[in-house]
Amino acid sequence: MNKGNHGIKNITVVGTGVIGNGWIARFLANGFDVIAFDPAEGAKERTTKAIAQAWPSLEKLGLAEGAHQSRITFKETVEEAVRGADYIQENVPEREALKKAVLADIDKYAKPEAIIGSSTSGIVPSILQEGLKHPQRLIVAHPFNPVYILPLVELVGGKQTDAAIMEHARQFFQEIGMKPLIIQKEIEGHLADRLMEALWREALHMVNDGVATTEEVDAAIVYGAGLRWAQMGPFMTFHLAGGEKGMRHMLEQFGPALKLPWTKLEAPELTDELKEKVINGCESHAGDTTIAELETKRNEFLVELLDLVESYWPESKAAVKN
């Protein structure tokens, strides 16, 4: 693998759940050797299975020269795993104390110039940097599932992050086919998850209040807003809604509606009754289709959709500023 300008050749992944395995698959597809660490029983077997599940989609997207599923090695300790790494991706469960403990171990044993990225979906990097010997090399590198297909990765630096580290990370992720979005200001949940969380809260209210079933909520997004968002996102979509005068007219015409009580914003109480409504709705909608079969369908769709997005909106390649 060509190291490019980022200087990253040796990669370690700590934590091999769904996100960690997604990272591993993407790194392998880009021709890297990957070292992994996860103390959970059966982790290696689950990773092997996850890579095999992802590989057909990665083949369609295009593999780097020399890329192979077998180029992964599991180590017994964090020290062994991170010792020679240029880049380390941490993906342990979203518990602050646990993450800080694991990151402290990684920071202790990794060489000083190694970059450490955390997949955290909600914790700001300045908190994760507390107590580290080399806090300047820790960043948030938050991906989206499935990591091996979806290109967005949110990069967030903390108060002590070195600007050069962010630039090296940005170059690295670009070279492995991702769309690095540098978040300029630390905020819990970063950017994309905060947007998705707002929709998720409203969807739960709809189900809880008997307005719609889980299947109907999904249909409203799949056949309406979701199709537009895949190409343009909410701001450009509303820009078009204003006609020839664009967003200027849209805000004049529909701006007052923002004051109407259409949304509830606060999350509903996650009662046992609401949980069962959501669970039963999803299981009924899925029917006899297994999770693995759903993942395969999702992956095939996303691979084709990515090509379509790029062909209709080539400017998206430049949408994420350096």
Side-chain angles (χ1 to χ4, degrees):
M1 181 73 186
N2 189 336
K3 290 169 61 176
N5 296 320
H6 49 71
I8 294 172
K9 183 178 180 182
N10 301 311
I11 293 179
T12 292
V13 173
V14 176
T16 59
V18 172
I19 297 300
N21 285 333
W23 277 119
I24 290 170
R26 180 176 280 275
F27 293 143
L28 290 175
N30 278 274
F32 287 96
D33 291 306
V34 179
I35 290 175
F37 170 76
D38 192 317
E41 186 176 349
K44 184 176 181 180
E45 291 73 21
R46 285 190 293 273
T47 293
T48 300
K49 183 178 179 180
I51 295 168
Q53 174 82 3
W55 212 253
S57 296
L58 289 165
E59 288 178 325
K60 290 179 182 178
L61 289 168
L63 300 175
E65 184 178 353
H68 199 276
Q69 299 181 53
S70 65
R71 293 177 63 178
I72 179 170
T73 304
F74 268 78
K75 296 293 186 179
E76 296 295 322
T77 65
V78 169
E79 181 179 3
E80 290 179 290
V82 305
R83 193 166 7 195
D86 301 309
Y87 181 80
I88 301 143
Q89 186 71 38
E90 169 273 313
N91 319 279
V92 301
E94 198 76 355
R95 298 197 296 273
E96 183 180 319
L98 174 62
K99 277 193 178 290
K100 291 177 80 169
V102 171
L103 287 169
D105 274 349
I106 293 172
D107 184 51
K108 177 181 178 181
Y109 295 117
K111 58 188 181 183
E113 65 271 25
I115 299 174
I116 303 172
S118 174
S119 291
T120 179
S121 59
I123 306 171
V124 297
S126 287
I127 289 177
L128 297 179
Q129 289 175 331
E130 293 171 355
L132 299 184
K133 291 182 178 180
H134 307 283
Q136 75 283 352
R137 43 92 166 265
L138 174 73
I139 64 171
V140 164
H142 176 235
F144 294 83
N145 186 42
V147 184
Y148 51 89
I149 297 178
L150 294 184
L152 182 63
V153 55
E154 295 176 322
L155 302 183
V156 193
K159 294 175 182 177
Q160 301 180 74
T161 300
D162 188 334
I165 294 292
M166 290 290 284
E167 175 58 19
H168 291 162
R170 185 193 64 78
Q171 291 178 13
F172 169 58
F173 287 118
Q174 278 191 332
E175 289 191 14
I176 62 172
M178 302 190 82
K179 303 285 187 183
L181 176 62
I182 296 180
I183 308 300
Q184 301 296 333
K185 184 177 181 180
E186 290 184 275
I187 187 171
E188 291 82 358
H190 319 315
L191 175 57
D193 274 359
R194 290 180 74 97
L195 296 172
M196 290 188 290
E197 182 72 13
L199 179 60
W200 174 234
R201 288 194 297 266
E202 195 65 22
L204 288 174
H205 275 297
M206 294 288 189
V207 173
N208 192 52
D209 296 344
V211 175
T213 65
T214 58
E215 186 172 358
E216 289 165 347
V217 170
D218 283 354
I221 298 300
V222 169
Y223 299 112
L227 290 173
R228 299 183 301 190
W229 288 343
Q231 184 188 18
M232 292 187 175
F235 281 106
M236 286 304 294
T237 294
F238 283 131
H239 184 55
L240 293 184
E244 291 184 2
K245 294 184 179 179
M247 183 62 80
R248 184 175 301 278
H249 177 69
M250 188 273 171
L251 291 176
E252 291 173 355
Q253 183 78 8
F254 300 104
L258 293 172
K259 293 293 186 180
L260 298 176
W262 285 0
T263 58
K264 298 194 176 183
L265 295 181
E266 293 291 334
E269 186 69 30
L270 200 57
T271 62
D272 289 340
E273 181 182 4
L274 177 54
K275 287 180 183 178
E276 288 306 310
K277 280 186 179 180
V278 172
I279 293 166
N280 292 336
C282 291
E283 291 178 347
S284 175
H285 190 185
D288 295 329
T289 309
T290 66
I291 294 295
E293 290 168 340
L294 287 171
E295 286 179 346
T296 298
K297 288 183 178 181
R298 175 202 66 190
N299 291 356
E300 291 173 351
F301 172 80
L302 288 175
V303 168
E304 293 187 32
L305 182 61
L306 276 175
D307 287 338
L308 189 62
V309 169
E310 293 288 2
S311 66
Y312 272 83
W313 197 247
E315 292 87 351
S316 66
K317 294 178 180 179
V320 181
K321 304 301 182 186
N322 294 349

